[in-house]
Amino acid sequence: MPQLVFQMSLATDSPVHSSSSGDFAAFLDAELDSISSDSSPNEEEVNDEFNSDSSDSSPNEEAENDSEIESQRIKRCRVETVENIEDPKGSTSHGSLEQNLVSSSKDACTHPGSFGDMCILCGQMLNEETGGVTFGYIHKGLRLGNDEIVRLRRTDMKNLLRQKKLYLVLDLDHTLLNSTRLMHITLEEEYLYSQIDSLQDVSKGSLFKLDFLQMMTRLRPFVRMFLKEASQMFEMYIYTMGDRAYAMEMAKLLDPRREYFDARVISRDDGTQRHQKGLDIVLGQENAVLILDDTETAWTKHKGNLILMERYHFFASSCHQFGFNCKSLSELKSDESDRDGALASVLKVLRKIHHMFFDELVDNLDDRDVRQVLKIVRKDVLKGCKIVFTRVFPTQFQADNHHLWKMAEQLGATCSRDLDTSVTHVVSQDAGTEKSRWALKNKKFLVHPRWIEAANYLWQRQPEENFPVNQPKNH
């Protein structure tokens, strides 16, 4: 029996990249056409299953016509069955699918996945949980077994590497955009209502009012150029903790022509762990996936793939959500820079990683790991810096366990508890400490802890003079 429906790579010409059952049915019809044209006189099992002969098996024209009619009838039956999976009251039953599709080979089928309760390969009804992962964002009811997921990832990986592409998973809120409820708009933000862009052509706008969601959304500056440039290097996914309706609407704003994401929009409804994101529902091998997100705790199992983004707080409600008492960008009637903002900075990092992965590493392409490249690029940021901290960590706190200490080391700096001539930076919140005074006396850099955080977000050593340390109050 030929591998009819899903024993193929779920690549760009497959249902993975289609969110509608109509598209899937059309794909299935094309698959069956291909099978019919490829069959040969020696494939007796195939001919028996289709109740027809191949086009070359008989000189009798009438038999050929009968065969073609029967083949078309079987095809229609299959397509209708797939379309009716979500409607058990449909005109085509699961029983008729088994009768028409399943031969004795079904006993040997490994059941690589299912639509509802039906095996996607042999059509057999599966009464028990078969394991694997549900890929509802690809097509409702689709579940793939673990072995099939491994096979598809391996196949898709080979296709992408030939195109010199990797995978990029993008968070929405505070990474690519910022949204607020209309009821949370402050008096200082009401001027925004006069600046709303049209939903008729969202590609030309950046501020949108979505009445049916009772929301206002601001796209992060540079996001359209970012997506355009990144799409040349990566196959991209959206992955948000928002619900599916919200995720799809944001995808329409970011990608109105479906050039970048297609059906690769994952919401919290698709996740396998509550309050966590995971690469188990991404059809990409982990050694070729990069993640952009503002929340590290969402990716506890994949920190090696993560590029942490500086949060985008355009609306006041966003600042309040994270406990900031300062005015928001909207209240200040300001915004991030297109040229020097977070997305422009991280695009440079992505270019560097992509170039190193494909053009600088010497080992076999299949053995390369983007996580190792990420570590190398990160360690270049503060390379050559030796840091001592003072008045930064709580008393009795184990210094090398503090996130700033670890962050500095990940950026390539050397951290020390002791002062010596090799120290380049003293990091402090108080210029009156003994170590702070030593730094000033010995003409070392005295910087605020935000200097390390800025380097971490912008992937570049920042000018020390932009991060001064406060003088003691009685100075």
Side-chain angles (χ1 to χ4, degrees):
M1 176 178 177
Q3 297 174 339
L4 296 176
V5 181
F6 269 83
Q7 283 292 49
M8 41 78 179
S9 171
L10 297 185
T12 55
D13 57 349
S14 76
V16 167
H17 302 274
S18 168
S19 59
S20 70
S21 59
D23 289 345
F24 176 75
F27 169 81
L28 181 56
D29 197 46
E31 281 292 301
L32 292 167
D33 272 333
S34 173
I35 292 164
S36 176
S37 62
D38 291 343
S39 61
S40 69
N42 296 324
E43 293 177 315
E44 294 179 3
E45 186 180 351
V46 177
N47 294 334
D48 288 341
E49 183 193 354
F50 277 83
N51 295 319
S52 64
D53 297 327
S54 68
S55 58
D56 297 326
S57 62
S58 171
N60 188 300
E61 184 176 350
E62 183 177 354
E64 288 179 5
N65 292 336
D66 291 343
S67 172
E68 182 177 352
I69 292 170
E70 179 65 8
S71 176
Q72 293 297 323
R73 186 190 68 78
I74 297 294
K75 284 163 54 180
R76 283 196 302 273
C77 174
R78 294 183 180 207
V79 173
E80 288 168 358
T81 301
V82 172
E83 290 179 326
N84 284 317
I85 285 173
E86 299 172 19
D87 181 11
K89 298 179 181 179
S91 59
T92 308
S93 68
H94 294 311
S96 66
L97 178 85
E98 289 193 47
Q99 181 179 356
N100 288 315
L101 301 189
V102 183
S103 69
S104 59
S105 65
K106 75 179 182 182
D107 297 329
C109 181
T110 58
H111 308 313
S114 61
F115 262 121
D117 297 326
M118 183 185 70
C119 174
I120 58 178
L121 179 59
C122 71
Q124 182 177 338
M125 298 303 297
L126 306 177
N127 297 321
E128 298 179 359
E129 180 62 58
T130 57
V133 178
T134 299
F135 288 82
Y137 69 93
I138 293 174
H139 201 288
K140 187 176 180 180
L142 173 62
R143 187 175 185 84
L144 297 176
N146 294 327
D147 290 343
E148 182 69 356
I149 293 170
V150 170
R151 188 190 70 80
L152 292 171
R153 283 177 176 157
R154 188 181 298 120
T155 302
D156 203 40
M157 177 77 170
K158 289 179 180 179
N159 291 337
L160 273 193
L161 291 181
R162 280 195 292 267
Q163 302 173 51
K164 292 189 72 171
K165 282 190 173 185
L166 298 168
Y167 301 92
L168 182 62
V169 177
L170 298 165
D171 174 52
L172 284 178
D173 295 284
H174 306 109
T175 298
L176 299 182
L177 50 82
N178 193 203
S179 295
T180 186
R181 297 283 182 186
L182 296 181
M183 68 177 71
H184 295 151
I185 295 289
T186 67
L187 289 175
E188 291 178 273
E189 292 177 314
E190 288 191 350
Y191 75 94
L192 294 173
Y193 285 111
S194 65
Q195 298 184 6
I196 297 297
D197 292 307
S198 171
L199 291 171
Q200 299 304 310
D201 185 3
V202 298
S203 63
K204 296 180 180 179
S206 61
L207 181 66
F208 303 99
K209 180 169 169 278
L210 306 171
D211 289 318
F212 54 98
L213 292 177
Q214 284 297 291
M215 276 188 170
M216 188 180 292
T217 296
R218 175 74 165 195
L219 303 188
R220 197 167 199 167
F222 195 71
V223 69
R224 298 202 186 280
M225 183 59 69
F226 172 85
L227 293 176
K228 180 180 179 181
E229 295 291 325
S231 68
Q232 304 302 309
M233 301 179 285
F234 299 91
E235 181 167 277
M236 299 188 296
Y237 285 74
I238 284 174
Y239 198 150
T240 177
M241 282 298 200
D243 62 29
R244 181 142 194 85
Y246 175 73
M248 296 306 295
E249 291 305 320
M250 296 303 104
K252 289 177 185 177
L253 298 180
L254 292 165
D255 185 18
R257 298 183 182 89
R258 298 189 68 169
E259 300 172 276
Y260 308 131
F261 304 111
D262 204 359
R264 297 184 298 274
V265 180
I266 304 172
S267 68
R268 69 177 179 221
D269 307 319
D270 304 302
T272 57
Q273 298 180 68
R274 195 175 183 183
H275 305 309
Q276 279 287 298
K277 296 179 179 180
L279 295 180
D280 54 343
I281 55 173
V282 173
L283 285 177
Q285 293 187 180
E286 288 185 25
N287 65 335
V289 178
L290 289 174
I291 302 165
L292 291 189
D293 203 313
D294 68 285
T295 307
E296 186 178 26
T297 54
W299 296 97
T300 54
K301 294 184 179 180
H302 307 287
K303 290 185 179 180
N305 303 80
L306 177 65
I307 296 176
L308 193 62
M309 292 291 294
E310 183 178 10
R311 287 193 176 107
Y312 180 48
H313 297 294
F314 182 75
F315 295 107
S317 63
S318 180
C319 292
H320 299 157
Q321 177 186 347
F322 290 90
F324 299 130
N325 294 320
C326 58
K327 288 185 178 294
S328 66
L329 290 169
S330 60
E331 289 175 318
L332 294 171
K333 298 187 178 181
S334 179
D335 211 338
E336 290 184 354
S337 164
D338 266 0
R339 186 181 63 181
D340 302 318
L343 288 178
S345 298
V346 82
L347 181 61
K348 295 175 185 176
V349 177
L350 294 176
R351 286 197 188 107
K352 188 172 184 179
I353 294 171
H354 183 272
H355 174 74
M356 186 175 292
F357 185 94
F358 285 103
D359 301 324
E360 294 186 12
L361 297 184
V362 295
D363 53 340
N364 187 289
L365 189 60
D366 293 335
D367 297 329
R368 297 176 192 177
D369 194 325
V370 75
R371 292 167 292 193
Q372 295 304 316
V373 179
L374 187 57
K375 283 184 180 180
I376 294 170
V377 173
R378 196 191 304 269
K379 278 189 171 293
D380 272 344
V381 176
L382 294 182
K383 184 178 181 181
C385 298
K386 185 172 181 179
I387 297 173
V388 168
F389 294 88
T390 175
R391 202 67 62 88
V392 173
F393 312 139
T395 307
Q396 306 299 320
F397 191 90
Q398 187 69 28
D400 53 6
N401 283 334
H402 195 274
H403 76 278
L404 279 176
W405 184 293
K406 292 180 178 180
M407 185 183 291
E409 288 187 331
Q410 289 172 350
L411 294 171
T414 301
C415 296
S416 174
R417 293 178 177 83
D418 304 314
L419 294 171
D420 60 50
T421 56
S422 65
V423 171
T424 60
H425 294 73
V426 171
V427 177
S428 178
Q429 297 189 72
D430 183 354
T433 70
E434 182 180 347
K435 291 178 180 178
S436 295
R437 292 195 299 269
W438 177 91
L440 294 173
K441 180 180 179 180
N442 290 276
K443 297 183 179 180
K444 305 294 184 179
F445 290 113
L446 178 64
V447 293
H448 193 275
R450 284 195 296 269
W451 176 75
I452 296 176
E453 295 173 339
N456 185 58
Y457 285 124
L458 298 175
W459 290 72
Q460 188 174 2
R461 179 172 165 175
Q462 299 300 297
E464 284 81 1
E465 60 269 20
N466 293 344
F467 298 87
V469 180
N470 295 328
Q471 294 292 327
K473 293 181 180 179
N474 59 353
H475 189 271

